[in-house]
Amino acid sequence: MTDCLFCRMVAGEIPADVVHETERTLAFRDIAPQAPTHVLVVPKDHHATAGLLVGADPQLLAEVVAAAHAVAVQEGLATDEAPEPGYRLVFNSGPQAGQTVHHVHGHVLGGRALTWPPG
Ligand code: 5GP
Ligand code: ZN
């Protein structure tokens, strides 16, 4: 989709600070970080939300989650054995959740204590 920001980043048309890449996923630093680690993980194929992605290609959603975990390990937020010190993986879906880019993306947030409930 040429009018989609994250499709254009996947295509290399808009620069991205890439921290992790697989055949079907890309992870890059958020332009407005909300925590010391704030990385967005996207499927290279365009799907609007996690709910639409899981219906269309559940294996690809699993690859996005695996990539998010790999980023967390790379950033020192977890190991394959334990979620220490820990991180948050967020998929905002729809207007009330504050989704602004309509290409599914998991936010990997960590590096500070994160409060709950979210705003
Ligand atoms: P959402 O609100 O849709 O869950 O998250 C969209 C995220 O994309 C926001 O955290 C926002 O800072 C980030 N973002 C928006 N434009 C760009 C951009 O051009 N580059 C990068 N790296 N992140 C962006
Ligand atoms: Zn897209």
Side-chain angles (χ1 to χ4, degrees):
M1 283 180 62
T2 52
D3 61 342
C4 170
L5 175 64
F6 291 169
C7 282
R8 295 187 69 192
M9 291 174 79
V10 167
E13 294 168 14
I14 293 173
D17 184 358
V18 173
V19 298
H20 188 271
E21 184 169 10
T22 67
E23 191 182 338
R24 297 215 290 166
T25 71
L26 190 69
F28 49 88
R29 295 200 188 278
D30 196 289
I31 202 168
Q34 302 301 311
T37 291
H38 188 173
V39 171
L40 303 175
V41 184
V42 304
K44 291 181 178 177
D45 290 346
H46 182 91
H47 299 270
T49 67
L52 287 166
L53 173 57
V54 78
D57 191 341
Q59 172 60 29
L60 183 53
L61 179 60
E63 291 176 32
V64 169
V65 173
H69 177 68
V71 167
V73 170
Q74 198 171 287
E75 294 281 312
L77 302 174
T79 66
D80 287 332
E81 288 73 43
E84 297 292 341
Y87 65 96
R88 189 170 290 168
L89 176 57
V90 176
F91 293 90
N92 292 324
S93 299
Q96 282 206 332
Q99 185 178 9
T100 58
V101 179
H102 300 287
H103 179 134
V104 58
H105 49 281
H107 296 252
V108 179
L109 294 152
R112 66 171 171 83
L114 299 165
T115 57
W116 193 264

